[in-house]
Amino acid sequence: MKKLWTKNFTIITLGTVVSMLGHAVSGFAIGLMVYDFTGSTLKYALFMVCYSMPRVIMPLLAGPYIDRFSRAKLIYLLDFVAAGMYIIIAVILQFSWFNYVIFLLISLLAGSIDSVYSVVYESLYPLLITEGNYSKAYSISSLIYPLASTIMVPVAGICYNTVGLMPLFVFTAVAFAVAAIMETQIKVEEKHMISRATTSFSFKRFADDLKEGVDYLKDEKGLLCILAFFFITMMTGAAESTLALPFFKSSDANSFKSIIPGLLEIPYFQNHEGRGVAIYTFVMSMSTVGRLIGGVFHYRVKIPAKRKYNVAVVVYCCTAIIAGVFLFTPVELMCVLMMLSGMLAVNSYNIRISSTQNYIPDEKRGRFNGLSAMIMTSGTLIGQVIFGGLGEVFTAKQIIPVAMLVNLVSVSIMIIGGKHVKQIYNKDL
């Protein structure tokens, strides 16, 4: 087996770490900035909608180009554009030039950059992994964002209360610029590229490339089952992500049960505005801890190829069951369940992403990743609308278990019933 830490892999990993540090800060800061200036939850929500909209359509539109042009160049160009965008935001803040309409346009640009970048990254990353190291490489990839969030979000919170928002955006711009400079050093043979004579823009060529990608997917029953399952998973998962915070925030302080006497009386829970929010942040942070533990485990322990499909099925079922029951448990058990869920989620991600990216031909990878990103984002947005509406009538404890039951049914139909999925997952990578 060849070594994993080649020059290209080291560059993409370090570059991603740096850009994710900036991404974690920007994700925290940009929402606060809009809310601080407008003081309106409606305008804040509209801003977030504008950020999410490109994540539905842009990956699909970008896919054909990602399969035709240099992914190594695209990834650093996008980081340079992001750096410029955050410098502009910092200047606007410095001179108090805030304009809500301009920031709606910026949110569209930020959402477009993020959505396209994720597809380019997923399509380039397999080219930088040496043979036999797919599983280990994706375990490293799965660690980066949770680690960046764990480090930078608390730091950003402290900076927000001391030096303000402007320095946060300067840091974000510098992080993206440094990542882009590092990524310019990636040197990889991109066999998917065709000759320069045929790479000029053409709507017909774009449509033909898109149709070719769709036709390929139609013949791949295993990939179709995986995409359909994750659409349902993202949609039903939105029940928890949408309703959990309102549940904790609106619950009476005395309604939370604890096994350890005095746990909920410690200052951390007493000094927050709304005890439920403090408990929510404490419980949900355990999911990030679990992701970190799971990533390290997956890096050190290789799941046998013949067991990957069975492990995936167990993980899908367990995460659904955990999400369905955790609101009914004492706080300590909530923490344990969230940590376990995070550990399992990393295994789910690793098995799915490494298997599918290895299975798909390189020349079609961008289109598949674009379609996959669109489907998963659509599932999340549809779920947020559905369960947000149901939350006006029913409680989180009534909605989330039913949503997770639907998820379990989808495991049975699309993963267990989809015999072609096993052929994709059970590969020695």
Side-chain angles (χ1 to χ4, degrees):
M1 183 187 297
K2 296 180 180 179
K3 67 177 183 177
L4 172 62
W5 291 97
T6 60
K7 180 181 177 182
N8 280 334
F9 186 77
T10 302
I11 290 171
I12 194 67
T13 302
L14 292 177
T16 305
V17 168
V18 174
S19 65
M20 285 298 103
L21 291 174
H23 192 276
V25 171
S26 66
F28 172 85
I30 200 163
L32 278 174
M33 176 194 64
V34 172
Y35 189 74
D36 282 352
F37 274 96
T38 65
S40 167
T41 53
L42 177 60
K43 288 184 176 181
Y44 169 74
L46 181 59
F47 177 86
M48 298 310 295
V49 167
C50 286
Y51 173 78
S52 298
M53 282 171 54
R55 303 181 73 86
V56 177
I57 190 64
M58 286 302 295
L60 179 65
L61 297 179
Y65 293 101
I66 293 169
D67 281 340
R68 187 173 286 274
F69 299 101
S70 171
R71 297 162 187 168
K73 290 182 180 179
L74 282 172
I75 203 165
Y76 67 72
L77 286 174
L78 287 168
D79 272 342
F80 275 129
V81 172
M85 179 183 68
Y86 286 113
I87 280 292
I88 291 172
I89 294 175
V91 171
I92 290 173
L93 284 176
Q94 177 65 26
F95 293 99
S96 300
W97 293 339
F98 183 86
N99 180 286
Y100 183 68
V101 175
I102 290 176
F103 271 91
L104 286 181
L105 296 176
I106 288 176
S107 72
L108 287 171
L109 176 60
S112 299
I113 292 172
D114 288 351
S115 58
V116 175
Y117 181 93
S118 65
V119 178
V120 177
Y121 175 83
E122 287 186 4
S123 302
L124 175 65
Y125 195 67
L127 302 180
L128 311 180
I129 303 171
T130 51
E131 185 179 352
N133 286 308
Y134 263 67
S135 181
K136 186 172 287 190
Y138 278 105
S139 68
I140 294 170
S141 178
S142 69
L143 282 170
I144 294 174
Y145 188 71
L147 189 59
S149 297
T150 301
I151 295 170
M152 294 310 301
V153 171
V155 172
I158 294 170
C159 291
Y160 171 68
N161 290 318
T162 54
V163 298
L165 285 172
M166 195 275 287
L168 294 179
F169 287 108
V170 173
F171 170 83
T172 300
V174 171
F176 278 106
V178 169
I181 292 170
M182 295 174 68
E183 289 157 355
T184 60
Q185 301 305 305
I186 293 175
K187 308 298 180 185
V188 62
E189 183 181 6
E190 300 187 75
K191 296 180 180 179
H192 69 278
M193 294 175 61
I194 59 176
S195 66
R196 287 182 176 272
T198 57
T199 55
S200 58
F201 177 82
S202 165
F203 283 112
K204 182 179 184 304
R205 184 173 295 117
F206 169 84
D208 289 343
D209 286 349
L210 190 60
K211 182 178 182 298
E212 181 187 352
V214 173
D215 289 343
Y216 164 75
L217 194 58
K218 285 180 180 178
D219 296 329
E220 292 291 341
K221 294 182 174 59
L223 293 177
L224 281 173
C225 286
I226 292 170
L227 288 180
F229 169 70
F230 274 94
F231 173 80
I232 300 296
T233 294
M234 299 304 288
M235 184 176 69
T236 55
E240 179 187 346
S241 61
T242 302
L243 300 176
L245 178 57
F247 167 80
F248 279 89
K249 188 173 183 179
S250 62
S251 296
D252 181 80
N254 295 321
S255 67
F256 295 105
K257 305 300 180 183
S258 174
I259 300 171
I260 303 174
L263 175 71
L264 300 182
E265 305 304 321
I266 63 176
Y268 177 83
F269 298 119
Q270 297 301 312
N271 295 336
H272 284 67
E273 181 184 353
R275 191 181 189 188
V277 175
I279 296 173
Y280 170 81
T281 56
F282 181 68
V283 169
M284 292 305 173
S285 67
M286 292 299 105
S287 177
T288 301
V289 173
R291 286 178 177 272
L292 294 174
I293 296 171
V296 172
F297 173 83
H298 216 87
Y299 180 81
R300 299 186 65 87
V301 178
K302 187 173 183 179
I303 299 174
K306 64 181 181 180
R307 304 292 183 195
K308 286 185 177 180
Y309 172 77
N310 292 337
V311 169
V313 171
V314 171
V315 166
Y316 298 152
C317 293
C318 287
T319 51
I321 292 169
I322 288 171
V325 304
F326 91 102
L327 290 183
F328 298 89
T329 64
V331 171
E332 294 87 351
L333 188 52
M334 285 184 183
C335 292
V336 172
L337 291 174
M338 284 298 100
M339 184 182 297
L340 180 58
S341 179
M343 293 171 63
L344 293 173
V346 168
N347 282 277
S348 166
Y349 167 83
N350 196 306
I351 292 172
R352 173 182 63 84
I353 199 76
S354 61
S355 299
T356 55
Q357 295 305 305
N358 179 73
Y359 180 81
I360 301 161
D362 182 46
E363 66 273 12
K364 294 181 173 66
R365 194 174 284 137
R367 281 164 287 180
F368 172 82
N369 289 335
L371 184 61
S372 175
M374 183 195 74
I375 287 172
M376 292 188 187
T377 302
S378 299
T380 298
L381 293 177
I382 291 170
Q384 287 171 341
V385 172
I386 292 173
F387 297 115
L390 290 174
E392 296 293 320
V393 181
F394 302 99
T395 67
K397 285 186 174 182
Q398 293 171 326
I399 296 171
I400 296 176
V402 174
M404 292 306 112
L405 182 60
V406 172
N407 198 342
L408 286 171
V409 171
S410 71
V411 175
S412 175
I413 296 173
M414 299 166 192
I415 302 299
I416 299 176
K419 60 182 180 180
H420 301 282
V421 175
K422 189 173 185 178
Q423 299 172 4
I424 297 175
Y425 278 6
N426 282 358
K427 296 290 185 180
D428 188 8
L429 307 175

